[in-house]
Amino acid sequence: MPNAKPIAQQTLLTHDQRHEQGAVTPPIYQSSLFTFSDYDSMIARFRGESDQPLYSRVDNPTVKALQDKVAALEGGDACLAFASGMAAISNAILSVVQPGAKVVCVNHVYPDTYRFLRGFCQRFGITTQFVDGDDEAAVAAALSGASLLYLESPSSWVMSEQNLRQLATLARDAGVVTLIDNSWASPIFQQPLLYGIDIVVHSASKYISGHSDVVAGLVIASHQHINNIARHISPFLGGKLSANEASLLMRGLRTLPLRMKQHQQSALQLAEKLRDHPQVSAVCHPGLNPPAWSTLRGYSGLFSFAVTEQVDIPQFCNALQLFHMGVSWGGFESLVMPAISVINQASEFNSAQDFGVSPRLIRISVGLEETDDLWTDLTQALAAATHR
């Protein structure tokens, strides 16, 4: 129907066609390769004239079902799935830059993205200029001579937003490709492609999985960008996603909208309470003071807060009972991670100031536990770690 109402995300993720034997979930094609009925069928596949599966390093029906669902969810033409978020990020970056290229990246991004740009990419003469994503004039100036603008909005440590509409326009006018890590918001709360961003990446290990049992990554973009990655980058780096993990991600997608609503509600409550706590000097949560131009439709469960000098951070972490210490986020369990750990990682490049994170900062990932219980745990830990 030409004027049909667009299908809601919840319906898109819950409803699926019936599969073989009437199954309501896609079958897991646990096969390394797929054979052909005749010579002409094989030749057609190698010529790109057929979409028959060939080899699970480059295509698998279960993985394709996941990719099609995520592409529709993000509003993109196509998607590629990878064995980790960093595989998705590195494949996407390397599909755009050449040796000697310049990347512009916003400050305090995901630590391994920072280390990839500062370390691995420099081996090939690829330089990175880190800028304040809130300063559009600084971004515009940095774009001169660049190939790629790398965004993370909100950023995964200080939760700062970037004006995606404006930065996408600046980059397009400068002939620069835009790439954003959208793991924080998930496609439920932000769809960057709608605002002119070229490529979206996700650590699907986070909210898309939601169960802390999968490590995976996703890239969503136009057919042109995806075909470039699929033809020139991903077959040779080998970071393929398994059919079994793709099936687990499909499971996670079905409850993603419901989980994101709960993460949002609980995290906002805790952020508001922490803002008023005497031993908390700052709370970094985009929902506390959203800009008028924000492209977010909601807020995830990840934010950070800075504690006063009276709080012993190791003692605070050790006193927690419901929050565990862990490097990931986006699952059903609540986690904390002190910033000093990633600052130490960044210092290997003698440029930790680029990372721009205070050592008094603690990142918190709010899970699906009862909010009152989580608040009780935070307050007792802060009390136990405060020295007058």
Side-chain angles (χ1 to χ4, degrees):
M1 293 184 293
N3 296 316
K5 179 182 177 181
I7 191 170
Q9 286 183 313
Q10 177 70 57
T11 304
L12 171 67
L13 293 177
T14 304
H15 180 75
D16 205 354
Q17 64 181 10
R18 294 204 314 162
H19 301 280
E20 295 178 18
Q21 308 299 318
V24 296
T25 58
I28 299 175
Y29 286 86
Q30 195 70 44
S31 179
S32 62
L33 80 160
F34 302 87
T35 58
F36 298 86
S37 58
D38 53 59
Y39 175 86
D40 289 341
S41 297
M42 174 175 276
I43 295 303
R45 173 62 180 83
F46 278 100
R47 287 175 175 169
E49 299 167 354
S50 165
D51 59 0
Q52 179 179 339
L54 172 70
Y55 185 55
S56 280
R57 176 163 57 84
V58 292
D59 53 5
N60 176 283
T62 310
V63 176
K64 185 179 185 303
L66 167 69
Q67 293 173 161
D68 291 346
K69 187 73 77 173
V70 172
L73 186 62
E74 273 284 10
D77 290 342
C79 169
L80 284 176
F82 295 90
S84 69
M86 274 312 301
I89 290 168
S90 58
N91 272 262
I93 290 174
L94 294 176
S95 73
V96 176
V97 300
Q98 300 290 331
K102 174 185 175 183
V103 176
V104 177
C105 180
V106 296
N107 290 332
H108 32 70
V109 291
Y110 174 58
D112 277 348
T113 300
Y114 173 86
R115 296 167 74 195
F116 177 74
L117 291 170
R118 290 295 313 226
F120 182 89
C121 287
Q122 285 195 345
R123 299 180 186 179
F124 304 96
I126 299 167
T127 60
T128 301
Q129 181 175 347
F130 292 89
V131 297
D132 183 352
D134 297 334
D135 187 340
E136 293 175 19
V139 175
L143 289 175
S144 177
S147 300
L148 176 68
L149 172 60
Y150 191 96
L151 307 171
E152 190 177 282
S153 183
S155 58
S156 60
W157 270 96
V158 300
M159 318 302 152
S160 60
E161 288 188 70
Q162 296 105 55
N163 189 331
L164 300 189
R165 294 182 184 90
Q166 186 64 23
L167 295 187
T169 299
L170 290 174
R172 190 181 310 110
D173 291 345
V176 175
V177 174
T178 47
L179 194 165
I180 187 171
D181 185 334
N182 196 34
S183 304
W184 188 96
S186 87
I188 302 303
F189 289 150
Q190 184 170 251
Q191 292 172 295
L193 297 176
L194 299 181
Y195 306 105
I197 300 300
D198 295 309
I199 304 173
V200 174
V201 296
H202 284 277
S203 172
S205 321
K206 310 300 192 286
Y207 289 118
I208 288 176
S209 164
H211 293 76
S212 298
D213 55 6
V214 177
V215 175
L218 300 163
V219 180
I220 308 96
S222 66
H223 286 303
Q224 179 182 355
H225 283 297
I226 293 298
N227 288 343
N228 182 39
I229 299 171
R231 182 170 183 177
H232 300 294
I233 306 296
S234 62
F236 311 113
L237 298 186
K240 65 96 178 174
L241 185 69
S242 76
N244 186 64
E245 289 171 314
S247 179
L248 290 174
L249 291 176
M250 289 285 284
R251 175 205 60 184
L253 282 173
R254 297 185 192 281
T255 61
L256 180 60
L258 301 175
R259 289 185 285 105
M260 293 306 295
K261 290 177 183 177
Q262 185 60 55
H263 287 302
Q264 171 181 239
Q265 178 181 323
S266 297
L268 266 173
Q269 289 181 19
L270 293 178
E272 290 167 351
K273 291 184 175 183
L274 283 168
R275 184 173 52 180
D276 297 329
H277 195 283
Q279 299 307 323
V280 174
S281 57
V283 177
C284 303
H285 188 300
L288 297 181
N289 188 28
W293 44 256
S294 176
T295 53
L296 292 173
R297 297 191 297 265
Y299 308 102
S300 73
L302 188 73
F303 68 98
S304 59
F305 62 96
V307 293
T308 65
E309 294 293 337
Q310 288 74 39
V311 177
D312 183 295
I313 292 178
Q315 191 171 345
F316 166 77
C317 293
N318 290 336
L320 291 166
Q321 297 174 6
L322 295 180
F323 287 86
H324 298 292
M325 285 177 283
V327 298
S328 191
W329 43 272
F332 56 86
E333 73 290 354
S334 291
L335 300 169
V336 297
M337 186 175 182
I340 191 64
S341 58
V342 295
I343 292 172
N344 289 338
Q345 286 182 320
S347 66
E348 69 182 274
F349 301 110
N350 298 317
S351 260
Q353 66 271 17
D354 286 340
F355 194 62
V357 173
S358 166
R360 303 303 298 170
L361 202 68
I362 298 170
R363 192 180 69 188
I364 174 174
S365 176
V366 180
L368 301 178
E369 302 93 340
E370 176 60 45
T371 312
D372 288 344
D373 292 335
L374 295 176
W375 176 243
T376 298
D377 194 27
L378 288 171
T379 53
Q380 68 81 22
L382 283 168
T386 300
H387 302 284
R388 307 294 180 182

